[in-house]
Amino acid sequence: MLRISALAKGRGSWTGHVSALRSRYMSQASPDVRIGSSMPLESAVIGASKAQEAEAPSQNGEVVEVPEPPLSVSLSVPGGNHGQLERNSQMERIRSTIKRLRLPPYAKLDVDDVVWVNKNLALVGTGTRSNINGVRVALEHGIFRTERVVTVRDVFERSPDLPTLNKSFKLLSDDVTCILSGIQKGSRRRICNEYAMRGSDVAGGLGGNFKLVRHDMDFLQFLHEGGFRIVPVESKEKLVATEIDQIPPQQSTNHVFMVAPTAFQSNPDAAEDNYFMSSENIRDPQVLQRKVITEFEDLHSKLTDKVKGAGLSVHLFTHEEHHDTPDA
C-alpha cells in the first residue's frame, strides 16, 4: 500500500495524485536526476510518498490508504516484432563503430556477420570474413552491448558463395528466423559457441568480460532451445525475399510431452460399446503393438526433425503394462 497524505475523499483521481507526487519528487531530486530522467512512474510515486511521510502532517492531518495500481506486463507474442526498431538502431550503431574500429592484422570482422537480436543476445558469424580475434576486439570495445554473444562458426565449408552469416541466416521478427536449409547438412553445417558476460571478473574470459559457457553446439538446436521458430528456404534469393508477413502462424511452444504406446493393446471392455473398435482382425497382440509403435515413431521423428520437421523438444515417457491402461 502507498501512504498518500492529505487527499480528501472523493477529490481528484489516481492519475492526478500520481502526477502531483511525481512533480513533487522530481522537484526535490538532484539536477542530474531531473535532467533527462526516465525514472519509472512507480519509483517516483514511492519516492514522493516516503518524502511526505517524513514531513509534518498536512492541513487536516488525514492519511488515506491508496492501493497500488496493478503493473501491466507486456507478454511476447509468437511472431511479434516489437524489437525491430531497436534492432535497426543497434545495427546502424554497430555498422558505424566497426567501420571506425582499428583491427590488428590478424583480426577480421565484417558487419554482415553480425545479427543483433536483443539486449540479451548477439550472433556473430566466423569463417571467411570474420574470425574469433575480430570478435575478441569487438567485445573488448563493448560494441555489441548484449549479455550473451554466440559465434556461429563456419568451420567446414568456407564457401565464397556464403561468406557471411547474413548470406545464410535472417532474423524475420523477435522469435522467427529464416535459414538456408542446406547449411545444416554435411560440410555446410554450422556449430556455435556461447559466451556470457560475467561482470567484474575479467580473468581469462573472451574479450576480458565474457567467458565461454557452452561450445560446439548445433546451430539449429541452439535456436530451438532459445524459442526461435526456424523457416527453411532453398536459395539465397528466397532468403532475401522472405518477410515475416509471408509466414503463417504456428504453435507457440517448442516443448511437448509424449507417451510412447509401449504397452498398447486391444481393450475388450471398451470394444463392447464402441462400434469402431474391433479385435476380429487382430490375431497377434505383438503385431498390433509393433504397428502402433512404428506409427508413433514416425510422428516423433516429424516433430523432432530440425531440418524437415517441426524441430520441437519432446519429453518422452513410456507406457508400461502395470499402468493397466491398454488403449491409452
Side-chain angles (χ1 to χ4, degrees):
M1 304 288 283
L2 296 178
R3 296 174 56 82
I4 302 180
S5 302
L7 294 180
K9 294 180 179 179
R11 186 183 305 169
S13 63
W14 169 256
T15 304
H17 301 331
V18 169
S19 299
L21 287 172
R22 185 169 188 171
S23 299
R24 185 181 184 88
Y25 177 82
M26 297 306 291
S27 67
Q28 296 172 352
S30 60
D32 59 328
V33 172
R34 293 198 301 267
I35 298 175
S37 175
S38 59
M39 177 173 291
L41 182 61
E42 295 80 23
S43 300
V45 171
I46 293 171
S49 178
K50 290 181 178 179
Q52 282 192 333
E53 288 179 359
E55 296 176 355
S58 56
Q59 275 187 334
N60 54 15
E62 181 180 4
V63 176
V64 180
E65 296 285 348
V66 180
E68 296 184 14
L71 299 179
S72 61
V73 179
S74 176
L75 299 178
S76 60
V77 177
N81 213 13
H82 300 295
Q84 186 61 50
L85 290 177
E86 184 173 9
R87 279 195 294 274
N88 292 342
S89 174
Q90 291 291 346
M91 284 306 303
E92 283 299 318
R93 178 189 58 78
I94 291 172
R95 182 174 289 103
S96 175
T97 306
I98 289 179
K99 286 181 178 179
R100 302 193 307 268
L101 190 63
R102 292 185 178 180
L103 294 172
Y106 55 83
K108 300 186 295 182
L109 184 61
D110 192 311
V111 70
D112 284 340
D113 269 316
V114 180
V115 178
W116 194 93
V117 180
N118 51 46
K119 293 179 180 179
N120 184 50
L121 176 64
L123 304 174
V124 186
T126 60
T128 305
R129 300 275 185 86
S130 303
N131 61 18
I132 192 61
N133 296 312
V135 176
R136 185 188 300 274
V137 174
L139 289 174
E140 289 173 347
H141 287 78
I143 288 179
F144 302 122
R145 298 183 184 177
T146 58
E147 295 179 4
R148 295 184 301 148
V149 173
V150 172
T151 56
V152 183
R153 304 164 62 198
D154 175 9
V155 177
F156 309 109
E157 184 178 28
R158 302 293 177 106
S159 169
D161 293 332
L162 301 173
T164 61
L165 181 60
N166 282 340
K167 298 297 183 182
S168 58
F169 172 86
K170 183 178 181 181
L171 187 64
L172 298 178
S173 72
D174 296 347
D175 60 357
V176 180
T177 66
C178 189
I179 191 168
L180 281 181
S181 58
I183 71 166
Q184 287 306 115
K185 299 177 182 178
S187 64
R188 305 186 73 182
R189 68 186 186 276
R190 303 295 191 266
I191 56 178
C192 53
N193 293 350
E194 179 181 356
Y195 301 88
M197 183 179 292
R198 58 176 176 183
S200 58
D201 182 11
V202 298
L206 180 69
N209 293 322
F210 286 78
K211 65 177 180 179
L212 179 67
V213 293
R214 292 194 294 172
H215 62 87
D216 299 319
M217 298 176 289
D218 176 86
F219 184 38
L220 294 190
Q221 179 66 34
F222 169 78
L223 292 174
H224 280 298
E225 289 178 358
F228 292 96
R229 177 184 175 187
I230 299 173
V231 179
V233 295
E234 298 299 325
S235 66
K236 292 187 293 182
E237 292 74 21
K238 199 162 186 179
L239 179 73
V240 173
T242 302
E243 299 296 340
I244 186 60
D245 56 3
Q246 302 169 0
I247 308 302
Q250 192 184 39
Q251 80 281 346
S252 60
T253 184
N254 282 324
H255 295 260
V256 296
F257 176 101
M258 297 183 72
V259 179
T262 44
F264 181 88
Q265 56 183 298
S266 176
N267 187 344
D269 295 331
E272 287 183 0
D273 56 0
N274 190 325
Y275 175 81
F276 297 98
M277 295 182 66
S278 174
S279 60
E280 294 181 0
N281 297 325
I282 303 172
R283 301 185 182 279
D284 188 346
Q286 292 184 350
V287 173
L288 171 65
Q289 189 177 86
R290 172 47 51 193
K291 182 178 180 180
V292 171
I293 292 178
T294 299
E295 292 178 356
F296 178 84
E297 192 279 331
D298 183 61
L299 173 61
H300 181 273
S301 178
K302 290 178 179 177
L303 290 175
T304 56
D305 192 303
K306 294 176 176 57
V307 177
K308 296 182 179 180
L312 302 180
S313 294
V314 174
H315 302 269
L316 184 62
F317 293 80
T318 57
H319 174 210
E320 306 296 341
E321 292 182 0
H322 65 80
H323 293 143
D324 194 26
T325 52
D327 52 359

